[in-house]
Amino acid sequence: MSDTHIKLIAPLNKTTTREGSAATLLRRIPLSFLLVVVVPVLAASFYFLLIATPRYVAEAKFVVRSAGNQQPSSLGVALQGVGIPGGQTDAFAVHAYINSRDGLRQIMRAAPVEEIYGPGRADILSRVPAIFSQRSFESLFKGTRRYIFVGYDSTTGISTLRVQAFRPQDAQIVSEALLTGGESLVNRLNSRAEEDAVAEGERTVVEARARVATAQARLADFRNRERFIDPESTATAGGELVSQLLLTIATLKAERSQIAAETPQSPQLSIIDGRIRAYENQVQQARGELAGGADSLVPKISTYEQLATEREFAQRALLAATQALEAARLDNRRQKLYLERIVNPSRPDEPLEPRRLLSILAVLAIALTVYGTGWLIAAGLRESRQS
């Protein structure tokens, strides 16, 4: 009779099964996935959740406009959209200043930048200068660019300044320093434009006044030399005198003709003839003074008219220069730029950066994209080899 063997059938150990399943699952995960996806996401999670220093954001809004500047119309906005600049681009000069080294120097005059963004307040990846960078102004400039942003809205003409710092008061101080520097820049631009335009106008006015003074002096010298106040008036008076003399001669001749007809032997005829000859001599003398010689009034009148014309042109030039100067001053007042703060930089209450969960998800998305792209390339290479 054979021996009977009794086998005990018992349930497997659940703990051992789970551990084996987890180990099997880990073995099934490709090493490339661990290196490309899991490790970067874990590192990003460790940094953003445990190490990253919170950053406070101070926001300010401002516009740069002139006294006669108007808001762009819908047509102007449409033209801006196709690359035609509008009238609100004066703010770009302030933007360039904020993003420049001069803007950093303005901040350094108001606050210790190396302390604000230095190792004492920022984590190892956020500090300025960076870990392997030298302590220099250039590295400080490149590092602070990460925490300062200025943008422009073409539809409203409003510029937005966002400054990040590791303490709320530091963010407010840096924003205030940049806005103060922008206002100083606008004032310098206004002063330079006004000085150039007004200085040119004043120089033109001075030249025109000198020209008027020269013309007036030449005219005065002519009058003193020739002893004439106005040669034209003298010539007019001389012409009237000649006309009166000729009228008198004509009257005497008519009277003589009448006497000769009535009494041909009258002794009055010789008297009248003498008077006629005297008047004719006086007419010739008066005509000689008006024209006919170097000392006559004709060349003097010509010189006088030339001098008077020069004086008139100089006076008109002075009037035009004076009007141009006043117009330049008024135009400068109308086109004078102003930086107007719409929203002053206030002290933030809570940190807005970094966005920890969003940053981790962004690292995950990038890692998955890189891994998926690499897997597709590897799969394509395998298929090409098999074929």
Side-chain angles (χ1 to χ4, degrees):
M1 185 175 181
S2 61
D3 296 335
T4 302
H5 298 282
I6 300 175
K7 296 182 179 180
L8 179 63
I9 301 175
L12 297 176
N13 191 337
K14 293 183 178 180
T15 304
T16 304
T17 302
R18 290 174 181 175
E19 291 179 354
S21 300
T24 303
L25 180 61
L26 290 175
R27 284 195 298 269
R28 289 180 178 179
I29 298 176
L31 179 61
S32 58
F33 182 82
L34 294 175
L35 295 177
V36 177
V37 179
V38 177
V39 173
V41 172
L42 291 177
S45 302
F46 178 76
Y47 171 73
F48 286 110
L49 296 178
L50 300 177
I51 299 178
T53 305
R55 299 193 298 270
Y56 296 85
V57 180
E59 185 176 281
K61 294 181 181 295
F62 63 91
V63 294
V64 179
R65 65 180 185 87
S66 60
N69 203 6
Q70 299 178 353
Q71 293 295 331
S73 62
S74 57
L75 177 60
V77 173
L79 293 177
Q80 292 176 8
V82 298
I84 300 177
Q88 298 291 329
T89 55
D90 294 327
F92 293 156
V94 179
H95 294 189
Y97 172 82
I98 291 175
N99 292 321
S100 68
R101 292 166 178 80
D102 289 338
L104 177 59
R105 293 187 182 95
Q106 177 68 23
I107 302 174
M108 295 175 68
R109 285 191 289 268
V113 180
E114 294 183 354
E115 181 180 347
I116 290 176
Y117 296 102
R121 298 180 185 175
D123 60 80
I124 190 171
L125 297 181
S126 301
R127 65 184 56 172
V128 177
I131 304 175
F132 302 105
S133 299
Q134 298 179 354
R135 298 180 63 87
S136 62
F137 179 81
E138 191 64 25
S139 61
L140 186 65
F141 170 72
K142 293 179 180 179
T144 54
R145 291 307 92 200
R146 294 183 293 167
Y147 303 112
I148 298 174
F149 168 80
V150 59
Y152 179 77
D153 188 351
S154 61
T155 59
T156 61
I158 298 176
S159 300
T160 302
L161 173 64
R162 292 171 57 90
V163 175
Q164 300 180 16
F166 303 102
R167 296 198 310 178
Q169 59 268 32
D170 293 338
Q172 184 182 20
I173 290 173
V174 173
S175 299
E176 186 67 33
L178 289 174
L179 287 179
T180 301
E183 291 172 349
S184 300
L185 172 66
V186 171
N187 293 334
R188 289 197 302 272
L189 293 176
N190 288 332
S191 299
R192 181 173 300 178
E194 184 175 0
E195 288 175 359
D196 293 343
V198 173
E200 181 66 25
E202 290 179 346
R203 184 165 52 251
T204 305
V205 169
V206 170
E207 294 175 355
R209 286 177 178 173
R211 183 179 175 185
V212 170
T214 302
Q216 188 67 34
R218 293 180 61 185
L219 188 59
D221 292 340
F222 172 81
R223 285 172 173 172
N224 293 330
R225 184 177 63 252
E226 301 297 337
R227 296 182 179 182
F228 284 117
I229 300 298
D230 188 355
E232 293 182 352
S233 300
T234 304
T236 303
E240 293 177 354
L241 177 61
V242 171
S243 298
Q244 292 178 358
L245 291 175
L246 291 177
L247 180 59
T248 301
I249 292 173
T251 303
L252 290 175
K253 286 183 177 181
E255 183 179 356
R256 184 185 184 285
S257 298
Q258 182 179 2
I259 295 173
E262 295 176 354
T263 55
Q265 302 299 324
S266 175
Q268 293 182 356
L269 294 177
S270 59
I271 298 173
I272 294 174
D273 290 337
R275 293 178 62 187
I276 291 174
R277 285 192 298 271
Y279 281 118
E280 289 177 348
N281 291 333
Q282 192 172 358
V283 168
Q284 291 179 358
Q285 182 180 357
R287 287 177 174 176
E289 292 177 357
L290 292 175
D295 295 333
S296 62
L297 287 177
V298 173
K300 295 179 182 180
I301 292 175
S302 177
T303 305
Y304 174 82
E305 289 179 347
Q306 182 179 358
L307 294 175
T309 302
E310 291 179 359
R311 183 185 64 176
E312 184 179 357
F313 285 162
Q315 290 175 345
R316 291 181 179 179
L318 176 59
L319 179 60
T322 304
Q323 292 175 349
L325 177 59
E326 293 300 324
R329 289 173 176 171
L330 292 175
D331 191 56
N332 283 331
R333 293 191 186 99
R334 287 194 301 267
Q335 296 185 359
K336 190 174 183 179
L337 298 177
Y338 299 92
L339 191 152
E340 295 185 0
R341 300 186 184 187
I342 299 177
V343 178
N344 285 313
S346 59
R347 182 173 298 183
D349 297 332
E350 59 182 18
L352 299 179
E353 299 290 343
R355 300 179 182 179
R356 305 178 189 272
L357 181 59
L358 183 61
S359 300
I360 295 172
L361 292 177
V363 173
L364 176 60
I366 294 173
L368 289 175
T369 302
V370 173
Y371 178 78
T373 303
W375 184 85
L376 291 175
I377 294 174
L381 292 176
R382 287 195 300 269
E383 291 182 359
S384 62
R385 289 176 182 178
Q386 291 176 2
S387 60

